[in-house]
Amino acid sequence: MSSKVPPIILNNGVEMPQLGFGVWQVPDDEAERAVATALEAGYRSIDTAAIYGNEEGTGKAIAASGIARDELFVTTKLWNSDQGYDSTLRAFDASLAKLGLEFVDLYLIHWPLPAQGKAVDTYKAFEKIYSDGRARAIGVSNFLPEHLRLLTEETSVIPAVNQIELHPHLQQHEAREYHAEQGIATEAWSPLGQGKGLLEVPAIVAIAQKHGRTPAQVVLRWHLQIGNVVIPKSVTPSRIAENIDVFGFSLDTEDMAAISALNEDRRLGPDPATFNA
Ligand code: NAD
């Protein structure tokens, strides 16, 4: 995989770019344009989901790019209402058709939904999809360590990835440690804290000024240097370019410590223990 973004190696040997492009809350036609811009800017990993309603636009941009399939890393996710063995297989077929692909690189269970108790059956369908070669890797999203424990007790393929909310205000120490012990890669969603107050925090602004970089670039560097996979989202071409231009500088120990001190265990999204949509 040749790209300006270095890969991490997942627990099954598959390479995944450490930085990709997220398309949550981007309508289908706008996603097509944004993904095209991202691919031109050098992104090779795209993170979508059935519930985002933009798998088709994403697929169209991929097809139009002319980039070889083996240079791309495409992630999609199974939505909550499709959990269960048979419904997962059907939902996966629908996602592949919308993307216009023969396989995805990573398929994730979007939420654990502990109150519904279907995650194990759902994951067994994921194992079937994986063994059929239609997903190069399978994993989960928003799983707490207790949900991962249940899954690994009852199924045989260790998830390659857990995609969780993670940014300097929610650093997820316990989850990251558990993932590292289990060989599960940690992927950070809302890595920029959704661009809200986080990018104006004085400590981050000061580090950005010191390096002649932007606050978003500093936050992305922090993630990369602690080993997270990141999938920042933007529909603005200049920001799309800015967010991938993070491989020409590094934060020093003092910068990293100043950002690590910003943890507030504060979520922007739902709590996976109770979210049941
Ligand atoms: P993000 O942290 O990537 O922030 C995106 C927002 O930050 C943009 O809308 C824009 O307002 C701002 N921004 C982006 N680049 C900027 C820059 N360079 N300078 C200033 N502001 C900038 O938030 P996100 O979209 O919530 O998360 C990223 C991706 O994670 C999503 O698109 C999606 O793919 C994924 N995600 C997954 C889940 C899940 O449940 N698995 C949930 C939310 C998001």
Side-chain angles (χ1 to χ4, degrees):
M1 191 180 285
S2 64
S3 161
K4 58 166 96 163
V5 177
I8 62 149
I9 313 287
L10 300 177
N11 61 14
N12 64 352
V14 165
E15 291 187 0
M16 175 176 192
Q18 203 185 348
L19 184 145
F21 185 65
V23 291
W24 180 41
Q25 293 178 317
V26 186
D28 204 37
D29 51 345
E30 197 176 4
E32 186 179 344
R33 283 194 296 277
V35 170
T37 305
L39 293 172
E40 265 167 44
Y43 293 76
R44 291 294 177 266
S45 167
I46 310 293
D47 182 84
T48 183
I51 194 68
Y52 300 171
N54 56 24
E55 289 173 311
E56 270 185 70
T58 298
K60 280 185 199 160
I62 287 171
S65 74
I67 296 167
R69 180 65 186 88
D70 66 359
E71 287 188 25
L72 293 167
F73 192 98
V74 182
T75 301
T76 195
K77 314 183 193 84
L78 175 90
W79 187 240
N80 299 345
S81 49
D82 290 318
Q83 283 210 21
Y85 191 89
D86 292 331
S87 42
T88 293
L89 296 178
R90 282 193 298 271
F92 180 71
D93 286 344
S95 281
L96 270 194
K98 284 184 179 159
L99 286 162
L101 297 176
E102 283 169 16
F103 64 91
V104 294
D105 296 277
L106 179 63
Y107 196 38
L108 302 176
I109 302 182
H110 211 141
W111 288 90
L113 309 182
Q116 295 191 23
K118 293 186 189 165
V120 168
D121 275 353
T122 302
Y123 197 72
K124 287 185 176 161
F126 272 50
E127 291 182 317
K128 162 86 175 130
I129 290 164
Y130 179 58
S131 67
D132 287 347
R134 299 206 298 156
R136 293 176 68 230
I138 52 174
V140 296
S141 178
N142 298 303
F143 275 48
L144 299 175
E146 71 211 55
H147 308 138
L148 283 168
R149 256 178 232 118
L150 179 67
L151 205 64
T152 48
E153 274 164 19
E154 310 248 346
T155 62
S156 44
V157 179
I158 303 283
V161 169
N162 188 12
Q163 183 186 115
I164 57 174
E165 182 183 346
L166 203 171
H167 41 74
H169 284 157
L170 179 70
Q171 296 190 12
Q172 299 269 26
H173 295 299
E174 187 200 343
R176 291 184 63 250
E177 264 169 47
Y178 186 70
H179 298 165
E181 273 167 30
Q182 300 292 313
I184 299 169
T186 300
E187 182 173 20
W189 66 253
S190 295
L192 301 174
Q194 298 177 1
K196 294 180 183 148
L198 181 64
L199 303 181
E200 281 126 48
V201 167
I204 291 178
V205 173
I207 296 167
Q209 280 166 353
K210 170 174 147 187
H211 290 277
R213 293 287 182 154
T214 67
Q217 289 175 320
V218 165
V219 171
L220 293 172
R221 259 328 293 182
W222 171 81
H223 281 285
L224 295 170
Q225 288 182 218
I226 62 172
N228 295 341
V229 176
V230 280
I231 41 170
K233 171 245 162 185
S234 174
V235 293
T236 309
S238 59
R239 286 177 171 174
I240 291 173
E242 175 186 326
N243 293 345
I244 196 177
D245 182 18
V246 290
F247 298 96
F249 77 109
S250 51
L251 303 180
D252 60 32
T253 315
E254 201 185 317
D255 304 329
M256 293 297 287
I259 300 174
S260 294
L262 299 174
N263 187 36
E264 297 173 351
D265 288 333
R266 183 148 55 88
R267 287 185 188 279
L268 298 165
D271 183 342
T274 51
F275 185 61
N276 197 24

